[in-house]
Amino acid sequence: VLIVDDLVRSGRTTGAVAELVKQSGADVAGFYALIGMGSAWKPVIERIVGSHYRVLFEVPQRFGSRS
């Protein structure tokens, strides 16, 4: 299963989806997102799919911070 998301910030949603995929008996083959905010998501995604991920646009955290 390829997990596709519009925005990844922490990776928590992707982790939850990956767990559901595994519970269904399938394997997560990779991850794709349009936008990655900051870098906190990277270790989470790498634990799930290794290097099998792509993010189209990466936005530095300073632009994604909530004030």
Side-chain angles (χ1 to χ4, degrees):
V1 174
L2 174 64
I3 298 174
V4 179
D5 203 349
D6 58 347
L7 175 83
V8 61
R9 183 184 304 262
S10 68
R12 291 185 314 194
T13 301
T14 303
V17 170
E19 184 59 34
L20 288 172
V21 169
K22 291 177 185 177
Q23 288 177 10
S24 76
D27 294 321
V28 177
F31 173 78
Y32 182 84
L34 294 175
I35 302 168
M37 299 292 290
S39 61
W41 57 270
K42 288 182 182 183
V44 176
I45 302 302
E46 288 172 350
R47 276 194 300 274
I48 297 167
V49 296
S51 63
H52 302 283
Y53 69 89
R54 296 290 177 265
V55 174
L56 190 58
F57 298 104
E58 290 191 40
V59 180
Q61 185 61 40
R62 67 178 180 271
F63 292 111
S65 62
R66 295 179 179 162
S67 313

